[in-house]
């Protein structure tokens, strides 16, 4: 089957929720994928920061194959050893062993729904989130998301949730009071164009929430699991939140999310207040354990930090007139554009053999596998000026 045939079948069989994809990817290995026409691409998006170890990584393939042949699904009416070990390992790498507890879920949206439920159990009525933030598209997570265009078709949303400008400490301080249950914030706003929190903002959010007895919820769905150069972005900020939400890279390509509650927040949710049929699925948890062990054994968080800094510095050193700068941390980067629409640049990149994401009209998002080789990163940077020049012809 060709890409064109796949497009026709997609339009006939699938709801038009995503539009029609330009290519059909049929195979992946490491940091490369191949489409239905046999074209190869360097994958600089990793399924939107999901495939932390790339495609068909031997550790994930082995762990999943062994687990599905041993125990595929149990439900949460019984315990399974893989979910237990994954939860304990997550707490260890987060530095929260003995002070945190984990709830395993399916996705980032669900993790944020759970965090919102936890905030309601404080008995307080209001929640503060950030403008331009993104926390998911289910109704609670969508209400937390500070992007009106995504919210408006589905109003009315969940009451009691307000938004403040991201990075504005004074606005956050003015919005939080004794009725505030929680503050939700992303260390880097990925869907807004890879916008990092300003220096000191997360520390100020921690101080403000502690002052008023509110929970600080950090959405690390995109920034967690080594992507920004450490296990979690909150570790770089030198703070400990009350709740951390995770997904994406945790499952190494399988649907897996987690909520980590810290201190008193870990004990608010009680039996029957949330249910997840597939939460803690042994096969997904086996993949998650393989991801955590490989990141640890191969120092991939440190690798992400080093290669990410190199990409950012090299792109800026190009001094191409279309590049306004590079934002982000580790291997979550946004290339800001001055002229060409990002969609045109992403199309030119695809024709040149690279998959990137036009996350906003003026930003390309790079979120490659953490195993990205330095030489592949250099090749992309070397080809970027021609990609930008070719994109200008499409505008």
């Amino acid at each position: 089957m060709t890409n064109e045939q796949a497009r026709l079948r997609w339009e006939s069989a699938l709801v038009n929720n995503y539009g029609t994809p330009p290519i059909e990817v049929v195979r992946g290995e490491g940091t490369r994928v191949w489409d239905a026409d046999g074209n190869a691409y360097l994958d600089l998006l990793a399924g939107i920061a999901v495939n932390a170890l790339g495609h068909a990584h031997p550790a994930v393939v082995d762990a999943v194959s062994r687990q599905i042949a041993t125990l595929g699904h149990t439900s949460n009416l019984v315990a399974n050893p893989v979910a237990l070990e994954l939860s304990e390992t997550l707490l260890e790498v987060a530095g929260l062993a003995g002070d945190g507890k984990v709830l395993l879920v399916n996705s980032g949206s669900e993790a944020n729904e759970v965090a919102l439920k936890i905030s309601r159990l404080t008995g307080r009525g209001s929640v503060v989130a950030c403008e331009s933030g993104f926390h998911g598209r289910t109704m609670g997570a969508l209400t937390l998301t500070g992007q009106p265009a995504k919210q408006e078709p589905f109003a009315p949303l969940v009451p009691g949730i307000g938004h403040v400008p991201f990075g504005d400490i004074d606005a956050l301080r003015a919005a939080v009071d004794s009725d505030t249950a929680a503050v939700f914030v992303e260390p880097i706003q990925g869907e807004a164009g890879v916008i990092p929190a300003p220096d000191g903002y997360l520390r100020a959010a921690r101080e403000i929430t502690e002052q008023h007895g509110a929970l600080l919820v950090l959405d690390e769905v995109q920034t967690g699991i080594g992507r920004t150069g450490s296990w979690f972005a909150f570790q770089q900020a030198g703070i400990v939140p009350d709740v951390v939400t995770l997904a994406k890279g945790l499952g190494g390509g399988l649907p897996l999310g987690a909520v980590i509650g810290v201190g008193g927040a870990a004990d608010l949710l009680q039996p029957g207040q949330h249910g997840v049929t597939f939460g803690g699925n042994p096969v997904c948890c086996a993949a998650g354990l393989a991801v955590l062990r490989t990141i640890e054994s191969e120092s991939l968080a440190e690798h992400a930090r080093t290669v990410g800094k190199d990409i950012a510095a090299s792109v800026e050193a190009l001094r191409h007139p279309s590049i306004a700068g590079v934002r982000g941390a580790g291997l979550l980067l946004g290339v800001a554009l001055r002229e060409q629409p990002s969609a045109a640049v992403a199309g030119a990149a695809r024709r040149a053999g690279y998959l990137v994401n036009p996350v906003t009209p003026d930003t390309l998002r790079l979120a490659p596998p953490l195993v990205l080789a330095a030489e592949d990163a250099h090749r992309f940077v070397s080809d970027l000026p021609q990609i930008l020049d070719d994109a200008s012809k499409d505008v």
Side-chain angles (χ1 to χ4, degrees):
M1 183 170 64
T2 65
N3 285 327
E4 178 60 26
Q5 290 169 329
R7 285 194 288 269
L8 293 173
R9 290 177 65 185
W10 179 284
E11 290 175 349
S12 175
L14 278 83
V15 171
N16 190 32
N17 185 65
Y18 301 103
T20 303
I23 61 173
E24 180 185 45
V25 171
V26 298
R27 181 169 67 89
E29 182 178 347
T31 54
R32 284 170 171 76
V33 296
W34 287 261
D35 71 12
D37 291 339
N39 301 305
Y41 305 87
L42 180 64
D43 185 1
L44 296 176
L45 186 59
I48 314 181
V50 167
N51 298 313
L53 303 184
H55 301 270
H57 192 283
V60 175
V61 172
D62 180 67
V64 169
S65 299
R66 288 175 179 271
Q67 188 58 50
I68 195 65
T70 304
L71 184 66
H73 179 69
T74 64
S75 88
N76 286 296
L77 299 176
V78 297
N80 77 73
V82 201
L84 288 170
E85 187 172 1
L86 175 63
S87 299
E88 291 168 346
T89 304
L90 264 179
L91 293 173
E92 288 172 7
V93 300
L96 297 172
D99 196 34
K101 294 179 181 179
V102 176
L103 178 66
L104 296 170
V105 296
N106 299 310
S107 69
S109 288
E110 187 182 14
N112 285 319
E113 293 281 349
V114 172
L116 182 58
K117 282 185 171 182
I118 289 173
S119 77
R120 291 292 199 235
L121 294 173
T122 65
R124 297 185 176 193
S126 66
V127 169
V128 177
C130 292
E131 295 174 0
S132 301
F134 182 84
H135 301 283
R137 296 176 188 264
T138 51
M139 292 300 280
L142 181 63
T143 310
L144 292 166
T145 292
Q147 300 181 24
K150 291 183 173 67
Q151 296 175 320
E152 287 167 1
F154 306 103
L157 300 176
V158 177
I161 299 174
H163 295 82
V164 296
F166 180 60
D168 187 330
I169 295 173
D170 290 337
L172 182 62
R173 184 175 289 112
V176 178
D177 57 25
S178 59
D179 189 49
T180 304
V183 171
F184 282 71
V185 63
E186 298 164 276
I188 299 175
Q189 289 191 332
E191 300 299 318
V194 192
I195 311 295
D199 289 344
Y201 183 68
L202 296 182
R203 186 175 291 276
R206 176 70 286 181
E207 293 170 354
I208 292 166
T209 50
E210 284 184 341
Q211 177 185 352
H212 293 280
L215 302 178
L216 176 62
V217 181
L218 286 195
D219 180 338
E220 295 233 26
V221 168
Q222 196 159 158
T223 57
I225 316 300
R227 179 146 300 276
T228 63
S230 58
W231 279 111
F232 302 96
F234 75 77
Q235 294 167 324
Q236 297 180 41
I239 64 168
V240 178
D242 299 292
V243 180
V244 184
T245 59
L246 301 168
K248 289 192 180 289
L250 177 59
L254 273 69
L256 179 63
V259 183
I260 303 177
V262 183
D267 297 321
L268 288 172
L269 204 63
Q270 296 299 308
Q273 293 180 330
H274 191 76
V276 192
T277 297
F278 292 100
N281 172 270
V283 178
C284 294
C285 288
L289 272 171
V291 168
L292 297 183
R293 289 167 177 164
T294 303
I295 290 174
E296 178 72 27
S297 65
E298 298 185 7
S299 301
L300 291 180
E302 294 84 350
H303 178 74
R305 182 167 62 248
T306 300
V307 175
K309 285 182 178 179
D310 188 20
I311 293 173
S314 299
V315 169
E316 291 188 336
L318 293 173
R319 300 190 182 281
H320 192 282
S322 294
I323 298 174
V326 182
R327 303 182 294 261
L331 286 175
L332 178 58
L333 300 172
V335 180
L337 303 173
R338 285 198 179 96
E339 298 173 5
Q340 293 98 328
S342 62
V345 179
R350 188 171 60 250
R351 293 192 295 273
Y354 301 97
L355 297 184
V356 298
N357 175 228
V359 64
T360 64
D362 61 356
T363 307
L364 285 180
R365 175 170 51 180
L366 308 178
L370 304 186
V371 296
L372 178 69
E375 54 267 32
D376 284 332
H378 294 160
R379 182 166 61 86
F380 168 71
V381 174
S382 178
D383 288 347
L384 184 56
Q386 186 63 55
I387 290 170
L388 292 166
D389 293 343
D390 289 345
S392 66
K393 303 171 186 176
D394 297 333
V395 177

